[in-house]
PDB file of all heavy atoms in Angstrom:
ATOM      1  N   MET A1240     165.524  68.281 180.209  1.00 97.00           N
ATOM      2  CA  MET A1240     165.632  69.323 181.270  1.00 97.00           C
ATOM      3  C   MET A1240     164.294  69.707 181.929  1.00 97.00           C
ATOM      4  O   MET A1240     164.053  69.754 183.076  1.00 97.00           O
ATOM      5  CB  MET A1240     166.388  70.484 180.804  1.00 97.00           C
ATOM      6  CG  MET A1240     166.435  71.680 181.721  1.00 97.00           C
ATOM      7  SD  MET A1240     167.438  71.405 183.189  1.00 97.00           S
ATOM      8  CE  MET A1240     169.052  71.572 182.538  1.00 97.00           C
ATOM      9  N   LEU A1241     163.282  69.854 181.051  1.00 97.00           N
ATOM     10  CA  LEU A1241     161.920  70.241 181.533  1.00 97.00           C
ATOM     11  C   LEU A1241     161.267  69.091 182.287  1.00 97.00           C
ATOM     12  O   LEU A1241     160.521  69.247 183.153  1.00 97.00           O
ATOM     13  CB  LEU A1241     161.063  70.769 180.267  1.00 97.00           C
ATOM     14  CG  LEU A1241     161.611  71.978 179.633  1.00 97.00           C
ATOM     15  CD1 LEU A1241     160.735  72.287 178.378  1.00 97.00           C
ATOM     16  CD2 LEU A1241     161.485  73.123 180.620  1.00 97.00           C
ATOM     17  N   GLU A1242     161.604  67.892 181.834  1.00 97.00           N
ATOM     18  CA  GLU A1242     161.028  66.792 182.587  1.00 97.00           C
ATOM     19  C   GLU A1242     161.541  66.706 183.998  1.00 97.00           C
ATOM     20  O   GLU A1242     160.796  66.375 184.852  1.00 97.00           O
ATOM     21  CB  GLU A1242     161.390  65.389 181.796  1.00 97.00           C
ATOM     22  CG  GLU A1242     160.546  65.291 180.451  1.00 97.00           C
ATOM     23  CD  GLU A1242     161.045  64.102 179.643  1.00 97.00           C
ATOM     24  OE1 GLU A1242     162.176  63.670 179.867  1.00 97.00           O
ATOM     25  OE2 GLU A1242     160.346  63.717 178.582  1.00 97.00           O
ATOM     26  N   ALA A1243     162.834  66.897 184.108  1.00 97.00           N
ATOM     27  CA  ALA A1243     163.500  66.932 185.420  1.00 97.00           C
ATOM     28  C   ALA A1243     162.890  68.050 186.274  1.00 97.00           C
ATOM     29  O   ALA A1243     162.613  67.712 187.424  1.00 97.00           O
ATOM     30  CB  ALA A1243     164.884  67.052 185.280  1.00 97.00           C
ATOM     31  N   ILE A1244     162.598  69.241 185.716  1.00 94.00           N
ATOM     32  CA  ILE A1244     161.975  70.267 186.479  1.00 94.00           C
ATOM     33  C   ILE A1244     160.648  69.874 187.056  1.00 94.00           C
ATOM     34  O   ILE A1244     160.278  70.104 188.106  1.00 94.00           O
ATOM     35  CB  ILE A1244     161.991  71.497 185.742  1.00 94.00           C
ATOM     36  CG1 ILE A1244     163.444  72.089 185.530  1.00 94.00           C
ATOM     37  CG2 ILE A1244     161.077  72.634 186.272  1.00 94.00           C
ATOM     38  CD1 ILE A1244     163.524  73.317 184.589  1.00 94.00           C
ATOM     39  N   ALA A1245     159.867  69.274 186.138  1.00 94.00           N
ATOM     40  CA  ALA A1245     158.574  68.896 186.459  1.00 94.00           C
ATOM     41  C   ALA A1245     158.576  67.796 187.584  1.00 94.00           C
ATOM     42  O   ALA A1245     157.749  67.854 188.496  1.00 94.00           O
ATOM     43  CB  ALA A1245     157.800  68.303 185.332  1.00 94.00           C
ATOM     44  N   GLN A1246     159.564  66.942 187.517  1.00 94.00           N
ATOM     45  CA  GLN A1246     159.620  65.846 188.612  1.00 94.00           C
ATOM     46  C   GLN A1246     159.990  66.447 189.973  1.00 94.00           C
ATOM     47  O   GLN A1246     159.449  66.013 190.977  1.00 94.00           O
ATOM     48  CB  GLN A1246     160.641  64.750 188.185  1.00 94.00           C
ATOM     49  CG  GLN A1246     160.195  64.003 186.889  1.00 94.00           C
ATOM     50  CD  GLN A1246     161.335  63.128 186.475  1.00 94.00           C
ATOM     51  OE1 GLN A1246     162.585  63.131 187.015  1.00 94.00           O
ATOM     52  NE2 GLN A1246     161.206  62.417 185.360  1.00 94.00           N
ATOM     53  N   ILE A1247     160.888  67.408 189.890  1.00 93.00           N
ATOM     54  CA  ILE A1247     161.220  68.092 191.252  1.00 93.00           C
ATOM     55  C   ILE A1247     160.155  68.981 191.739  1.00 93.00           C
ATOM     56  O   ILE A1247     159.823  68.931 192.830  1.00 93.00           O
ATOM     57  CB  ILE A1247     162.593  68.816 190.873  1.00 93.00           C
ATOM     58  CG1 ILE A1247     163.653  67.836 190.633  1.00 93.00           C
ATOM     59  CG2 ILE A1247     162.964  69.543 192.310  1.00 93.00           C
ATOM     60  CD1 ILE A1247     165.040  68.585 190.245  1.00 93.00           C
ATOM     61  N   ALA A1248     159.719  69.970 190.809  1.00 90.00           N
ATOM     62  CA  ALA A1248     158.930  70.911 191.279  1.00 90.00           C
ATOM     63  C   ALA A1248     157.406  70.562 191.352  1.00 90.00           C
ATOM     64  O   ALA A1248     156.642  71.084 192.204  1.00 90.00           O
ATOM     65  CB  ALA A1248     158.962  72.205 190.379  1.00 90.00           C
ATOM     66  N   CYS A1249     157.012  69.637 190.459  1.00 90.00           N
ATOM     67  CA  CYS A1249     155.470  69.247 190.420  1.00 90.00           C
ATOM     68  C   CYS A1249     155.269  67.900 190.747  1.00 90.00           C
ATOM     69  O   CYS A1249     154.089  67.391 190.895  1.00 90.00           O
ATOM     70  CB  CYS A1249     155.046  69.511 188.918  1.00 90.00           C
ATOM     71  SG  CYS A1249     155.462  71.051 188.249  1.00 90.00           S
ATOM     72  N   LYS A1250     156.352  67.100 191.104  1.00 91.00           N
ATOM     73  CA  LYS A1250     156.079  65.653 191.435  1.00 91.00           C
ATOM     74  C   LYS A1250     155.350  64.935 190.406  1.00 91.00           C
ATOM     75  O   LYS A1250     154.442  64.132 190.656  1.00 91.00           O
ATOM     76  CB  LYS A1250     155.533  65.586 192.758  1.00 91.00           C
ATOM     77  CG  LYS A1250     156.062  66.383 193.935  1.00 91.00           C
ATOM     78  CD  LYS A1250     157.554  66.070 194.132  1.00 91.00           C
ATOM     79  CE  LYS A1250     158.130  66.858 195.263  1.00 91.00           C
ATOM     80  NZ  LYS A1250     159.572  66.671 195.378  1.00 91.00           N
ATOM     81  N   GLY A1251     155.657  65.266 189.141  1.00 93.00           N
ATOM     82  CA  GLY A1251     154.776  64.622 188.038  1.00 93.00           C
ATOM     83  C   GLY A1251     155.598  64.777 186.745  1.00 93.00           C
ATOM     84  O   GLY A1251     156.690  65.252 186.749  1.00 93.00           O
ATOM     85  N   ALA A1252     154.955  64.328 185.617  1.00 94.00           N
ATOM     86  CA  ALA A1252     155.613  64.280 184.344  1.00 94.00           C
ATOM     87  C   ALA A1252     155.008  65.441 183.478  1.00 94.00           C
ATOM     88  O   ALA A1252     153.782  65.687 183.551  1.00 94.00           O
ATOM     89  CB  ALA A1252     155.504  62.980 183.701  1.00 94.00           C
ATOM     90  N   VAL A1253     155.812  65.810 182.550  1.00 95.00           N
ATOM     91  CA  VAL A1253     155.311  66.821 181.563  1.00 95.00           C
ATOM     92  C   VAL A1253     154.644  66.053 180.373  1.00 95.00           C
ATOM     93  O   VAL A1253     154.907  64.938 180.205  1.00 95.00           O
ATOM     94  CB  VAL A1253     156.454  67.614 180.976  1.00 95.00           C
ATOM     95  CG1 VAL A1253     157.200  68.480 181.927  1.00 95.00           C
ATOM     96  CG2 VAL A1253     157.483  66.764 180.293  1.00 95.00           C
ATOM     97  N   THR A1254     153.788  66.764 179.652  1.00 96.00           N
ATOM     98  CA  THR A1254     153.184  66.219 178.581  1.00 96.00           C
ATOM     99  C   THR A1254     153.834  66.827 177.240  1.00 96.00           C
ATOM    100  O   THR A1254     153.781  68.163 177.200  1.00 96.00           O
ATOM    101  CB  THR A1254     151.666  66.463 178.546  1.00 96.00           C
ATOM    102  OG1 THR A1254     150.954  65.884 179.614  1.00 96.00           O
ATOM    103  CG2 THR A1254     150.992  65.890 177.265  1.00 96.00           C
ATOM    104  N   LEU A1255     154.483  66.074 176.552  1.00 96.00           N
ATOM    105  CA  LEU A1255     155.281  66.566 175.393  1.00 96.00           C
ATOM    106  C   LEU A1255     154.319  66.357 174.072  1.00 96.00           C
ATOM    107  O   LEU A1255     153.885  65.425 173.833  1.00 96.00           O
ATOM    108  CB  LEU A1255     156.586  65.849 175.207  1.00 96.00           C
ATOM    109  CG  LEU A1255     157.519  66.145 176.361  1.00 96.00           C
ATOM    110  CD1 LEU A1255     158.694  65.175 176.156  1.00 96.00           C
ATOM    111  CD2 LEU A1255     158.068  67.530 176.372  1.00 96.00           C
ATOM    112  N   LYS A1256     154.290  67.544 173.259  1.00 95.00           N
ATOM    113  CA  LYS A1256     153.553  67.548 172.092  1.00 95.00           C
ATOM    114  C   LYS A1256     154.348  68.135 170.969  1.00 95.00           C
ATOM    115  O   LYS A1256     154.629  69.257 170.854  1.00 95.00           O
ATOM    116  CB  LYS A1256     152.284  68.407 172.234  1.00 95.00           C
ATOM    117  CG  LYS A1256     151.288  68.260 170.926  1.00 95.00           C
ATOM    118  CD  LYS A1256     150.126  69.289 171.213  1.00 95.00           C
ATOM    119  CE  LYS A1256     149.363  69.270 169.900  1.00 95.00           C
ATOM    120  NZ  LYS A1256     148.055  70.157 170.240  1.00 95.00           N
ATOM    121  N   PRO A1257     154.865  67.247 170.003  1.00 94.00           N
ATOM    122  CA  PRO A1257     155.701  67.759 168.954  1.00 94.00           C
ATOM    123  C   PRO A1257     154.795  68.636 167.978  1.00 94.00           C
ATOM    124  O   PRO A1257     153.561  68.549 167.851  1.00 94.00           O
ATOM    125  CB  PRO A1257     156.114  66.400 168.226  1.00 94.00           C
ATOM    126  CG  PRO A1257     155.893  65.353 169.124  1.00 94.00           C
ATOM    127  CD  PRO A1257     154.813  65.761 170.028  1.00 94.00           C
ATOM    128  N   ASP A1258     155.510  69.526 167.269  1.00 93.00           N
ATOM    129  CA  ASP A1258     154.833  70.401 166.405  1.00 93.00           C
ATOM    130  C   ASP A1258     155.397  70.112 164.944  1.00 93.00           C
ATOM    131  O   ASP A1258     156.397  70.629 164.499  1.00 93.00           O
ATOM    132  CB  ASP A1258     155.129  71.818 166.708  1.00 93.00           C
ATOM    133  CG  ASP A1258     154.407  72.795 165.807  1.00 93.00           C
ATOM    134  OD1 ASP A1258     153.880  72.447 164.831  1.00 93.00           O
ATOM    135  OD2 ASP A1258     154.356  74.047 166.229  1.00 93.00           O
ATOM    136  N   PRO A1259     154.716  69.168 164.213  1.00 87.00           N
ATOM    137  CA  PRO A1259     155.176  68.750 162.919  1.00 87.00           C
ATOM    138  C   PRO A1259     155.292  69.793 161.801  1.00 87.00           C
ATOM    139  O   PRO A1259     155.975  69.824 160.859  1.00 87.00           O
ATOM    140  CB  PRO A1259     154.251  67.584 162.498  1.00 87.00           C
ATOM    141  CG  PRO A1259     152.996  67.963 163.288  1.00 87.00           C
ATOM    142  CD  PRO A1259     153.383  68.530 164.606  1.00 87.00           C
ATOM    143  N   GLN A1260     154.465  70.866 162.026  1.00 88.00           N
ATOM    144  CA  GLN A1260     154.498  71.943 161.108  1.00 88.00           C
ATOM    145  C   GLN A1260     155.630  72.797 161.170  1.00 88.00           C
ATOM    146  O   GLN A1260     156.109  73.372 160.168  1.00 88.00           O
ATOM    147  CB  GLN A1260     153.189  72.866 161.342  1.00 88.00           C
ATOM    148  CG  GLN A1260     151.857  72.088 161.037  1.00 88.00           C
ATOM    149  CD  GLN A1260     150.726  73.112 161.201  1.00 88.00           C
ATOM    150  OE1 GLN A1260     150.774  74.183 161.654  1.00 88.00           O
ATOM    151  NE2 GLN A1260     149.587  72.623 160.703  1.00 88.00           N
ATOM    152  N   VAL A1261     156.260  72.911 162.330  1.00 86.00           N
ATOM    153  CA  VAL A1261     157.583  73.750 162.513  1.00 86.00           C
ATOM    154  C   VAL A1261     158.741  72.870 162.296  1.00 86.00           C
ATOM    155  O   VAL A1261     159.794  73.401 161.818  1.00 86.00           O
ATOM    156  CB  VAL A1261     157.533  74.474 163.799  1.00 86.00           C
ATOM    157  CG1 VAL A1261     158.853  75.264 164.120  1.00 86.00           C
ATOM    158  CG2 VAL A1261     156.297  75.377 163.942  1.00 86.00           C
ATOM    159  N   GLY A1262     158.695  71.602 162.603  1.00 86.00           N
ATOM    160  CA  GLY A1262     159.854  70.669 162.566  1.00 86.00           C
ATOM    161  C   GLY A1262     160.411  70.438 163.901  1.00 86.00           C
ATOM    162  O   GLY A1262     159.809  69.613 164.767  1.00 86.00           O
ATOM    163  N   LEU A1263     161.545  71.019 164.218  1.00 95.00           N
ATOM    164  CA  LEU A1263     162.267  70.786 165.482  1.00 95.00           C
ATOM    165  C   LEU A1263     161.647  71.637 166.532  1.00 95.00           C
ATOM    166  O   LEU A1263     162.291  72.605 166.988  1.00 95.00           O
ATOM    167  CB  LEU A1263     163.707  71.027 165.292  1.00 95.00           C
ATOM    168  CG  LEU A1263     164.450  70.087 164.358  1.00 95.00           C
ATOM    169  CD1 LEU A1263     165.883  70.517 164.168  1.00 95.00           C
ATOM    170  CD2 LEU A1263     164.389  68.625 164.860  1.00 95.00           C
ATOM    171  N   ALA A1264     160.393  71.372 166.931  1.00 97.00           N
ATOM    172  CA  ALA A1264     159.716  72.232 167.863  1.00 97.00           C
ATOM    173  C   ALA A1264     158.668  71.251 168.557  1.00 97.00           C
ATOM    174  O   ALA A1264     158.240  70.214 168.095  1.00 97.00           O
ATOM    175  CB  ALA A1264     158.926  73.336 167.214  1.00 97.00           C
ATOM    176  N   ALA A1265     158.415  71.785 169.852  1.00 97.00           N
ATOM    177  CA  ALA A1265     157.441  70.990 170.706  1.00 97.00           C
ATOM    178  C   ALA A1265     156.914  71.926 171.771  1.00 97.00           C
ATOM    179  O   ALA A1265     157.493  72.902 172.034  1.00 97.00           O
ATOM    180  CB  ALA A1265     158.121  69.784 171.350  1.00 97.00           C
ATOM    181  N   GLU A1266     155.884  71.382 172.431  1.00 97.00           N
ATOM    182  CA  GLU A1266     155.286  72.142 173.536  1.00 97.00           C
ATOM    183  C   GLU A1266     155.360  71.094 174.751  1.00 97.00           C
ATOM    184  O   GLU A1266     154.943  69.971 174.574  1.00 97.00           O
ATOM    185  CB  GLU A1266     153.861  72.584 173.310  1.00 97.00           C
ATOM    186  CG  GLU A1266     153.813  73.743 172.408  1.00 97.00           C
ATOM    187  CD  GLU A1266     152.503  74.392 172.148  1.00 97.00           C
ATOM    188  OE1 GLU A1266     151.450  73.631 172.649  1.00 97.00           O
ATOM    189  OE2 GLU A1266     152.254  75.454 171.592  1.00 97.00           O
ATOM    190  N   ALA A1267     155.778  71.623 175.827  1.00 97.00           N
ATOM    191  CA  ALA A1267     155.847  70.765 177.107  1.00 97.00           C
ATOM    192  C   ALA A1267     154.887  71.414 178.140  1.00 97.00           C
ATOM    193  O   ALA A1267     155.065  72.587 178.492  1.00 97.00           O
ATOM    194  CB  ALA A1267     157.282  70.788 177.712  1.00 97.00           C
ATOM    195  N   THR A1268     153.895  70.686 178.539  1.00 96.00           N
ATOM    196  CA  THR A1268     152.948  71.113 179.441  1.00 96.00           C
ATOM    197  C   THR A1268     153.180  70.600 180.821  1.00 96.00           C
ATOM    198  O   THR A1268     153.226  69.373 180.903  1.00 96.00           O
ATOM    199  CB  THR A1268     151.522  70.657 178.931  1.00 96.00           C
ATOM    200  OG1 THR A1268     151.210  71.280 177.754  1.00 96.00           O
ATOM    201  CG2 THR A1268     150.444  71.273 179.917  1.00 96.00           C
ATOM    202  N   LEU A1269     153.362  71.443 181.788  1.00 94.00           N
ATOM    203  CA  LEU A1269     153.596  70.923 183.160  1.00 94.00           C
ATOM    204  C   LEU A1269     152.374  70.381 183.748  1.00 94.00           C
ATOM    205  O   LEU A1269     151.211  70.684 183.296  1.00 94.00           O
ATOM    206  CB  LEU A1269     154.037  72.056 183.992  1.00 94.00           C
ATOM    207  CG  LEU A1269     155.469  72.705 183.679  1.00 94.00           C
ATOM    208  CD1 LEU A1269     155.880  73.887 184.644  1.00 94.00           C
ATOM    209  CD2 LEU A1269     156.568  71.696 183.542  1.00 94.00           C
ATOM    210  N   PRO A1270     152.473  69.462 184.713  1.00 92.00           N
ATOM    211  CA  PRO A1270     151.346  68.847 185.355  1.00 92.00           C
ATOM    212  C   PRO A1270     150.337  69.909 185.872  1.00 92.00           C
ATOM    213  O   PRO A1270     150.742  70.981 186.346  1.00 92.00           O
ATOM    214  CB  PRO A1270     151.942  67.975 186.451  1.00 92.00           C
ATOM    215  CG  PRO A1270     153.219  67.743 186.005  1.00 92.00           C
ATOM    216  CD  PRO A1270     153.668  68.979 185.302  1.00 92.00           C
ATOM    217  N   ALA A1271     149.024  69.575 185.772  1.00 86.00           N
ATOM    218  CA  ALA A1271     147.981  70.354 186.386  1.00 86.00           C
ATOM    219  C   ALA A1271     148.216  70.371 188.024  1.00 86.00           C
ATOM    220  O   ALA A1271     148.765  69.451 188.521  1.00 86.00           O
ATOM    221  CB  ALA A1271     146.558  69.868 186.090  1.00 86.00           C
ATOM    222  N   ARG A1272     147.765  71.336 188.611  1.00 79.00           N
ATOM    223  CA  ARG A1272     147.865  71.550 190.017  1.00 79.00           C
ATOM    224  C   ARG A1272     149.291  71.546 190.517  1.00 79.00           C
ATOM    225  O   ARG A1272     149.674  71.040 191.577  1.00 79.00           O
ATOM    226  CB  ARG A1272     147.078  70.365 190.811  1.00 79.00           C
ATOM    227  CG  ARG A1272     145.685  70.334 190.516  1.00 79.00           C
ATOM    228  CD  ARG A1272     144.934  69.241 191.278  1.00 79.00           C
ATOM    229  NE  ARG A1272     143.522  69.133 190.887  1.00 79.00           N
ATOM    230  CZ  ARG A1272     143.154  68.250 189.943  1.00 79.00           C
ATOM    231  NH1 ARG A1272     144.071  67.586 189.220  1.00 79.00           N
ATOM    232  NH2 ARG A1272     141.863  68.184 189.610  1.00 79.00           N
ATOM    233  N   CYS A1273     150.139  72.075 189.670  1.00 81.00           N
ATOM    234  CA  CYS A1273     151.643  72.161 190.066  1.00 81.00           C
ATOM    235  C   CYS A1273     151.844  73.516 190.619  1.00 81.00           C
ATOM    236  O   CYS A1273     151.742  74.562 190.044  1.00 81.00           O
ATOM    237  CB  CYS A1273     152.523  72.032 188.829  1.00 81.00           C
ATOM    238  SG  CYS A1273     154.258  72.230 189.170  1.00 81.00           S
ATOM    239  N   ALA A1274     152.007  73.502 191.991  1.00 71.00           N
ATOM    240  CA  ALA A1274     152.172  74.803 192.691  1.00 71.00           C
ATOM    241  C   ALA A1274     153.673  75.430 192.487  1.00 71.00           C
ATOM    242  O   ALA A1274     154.546  74.969 193.233  1.00 71.00           O
ATOM    243  CB  ALA A1274     151.958  74.567 194.154  1.00 71.00           C
ATOM    244  N   LEU A1275     153.856  76.307 191.567  1.00 79.00           N
ATOM    245  CA  LEU A1275     154.984  76.978 191.339  1.00 79.00           C
ATOM    246  C   LEU A1275     154.991  78.268 191.990  1.00 79.00           C
ATOM    247  O   LEU A1275     154.273  79.242 191.650  1.00 79.00           O
ATOM    248  CB  LEU A1275     155.248  77.139 189.804  1.00 79.00           C
ATOM    249  CG  LEU A1275     155.343  75.860 188.956  1.00 79.00           C
ATOM    250  CD1 LEU A1275     155.442  76.194 187.510  1.00 79.00           C
ATOM    251  CD2 LEU A1275     156.563  75.098 189.385  1.00 79.00           C
ATOM    252  N   PRO A1276     155.843  78.465 193.122  1.00 74.00           N
ATOM    253  CA  PRO A1276     155.786  79.699 193.786  1.00 74.00           C
ATOM    254  C   PRO A1276     156.178  80.853 192.868  1.00 74.00           C
ATOM    255  O   PRO A1276     157.001  80.838 192.072  1.00 74.00           O
ATOM    256  CB  PRO A1276     156.845  79.499 194.959  1.00 74.00           C
ATOM    257  CG  PRO A1276     157.733  78.458 194.453  1.00 74.00           C
ATOM    258  CD  PRO A1276     156.916  77.476 193.579  1.00 74.00           C
ATOM    259  N   ALA A1277     155.559  82.002 193.156  1.00 72.00           N
ATOM    260  CA  ALA A1277     155.752  83.223 192.297  1.00 72.00           C
ATOM    261  C   ALA A1277     156.721  84.220 192.974  1.00 72.00           C
ATOM    262  O   ALA A1277     156.968  85.172 192.279  1.00 72.00           O
ATOM    263  CB  ALA A1277     154.411  83.785 191.923  1.00 72.00           C
TER     264      ALA A1277
END
C-alpha cells in the first residue's frame, strides 16, 4: 500500500527497512523531494 502511495504521490519508490529486533516491523521511507501537500 505504501509503495503504491509513493508511486502516485512521489513518482518514486519507498525504501523499506525491516526491523529484526521487533520482528514483524519495518520502516518505509518516502522518496526525497516528494512534495506532499499539507
Side-chain angles (χ1 to χ4, degrees):
M1240 174 65 76
L1241 295 176
E1242 288 169 350
I1244 289 173
Q1246 290 169 3
I1247 297 171
C1249 309
K1250 311 301 181 187
V1253 297
T1254 301
L1255 294 171
K1256 182 181 178 181
D1258 186 345
Q1260 294 184 346
V1261 176
L1263 296 174
E1266 289 186 346
T1268 303
L1269 297 183
R1272 303 183 184 87
C1273 179
L1275 296 174

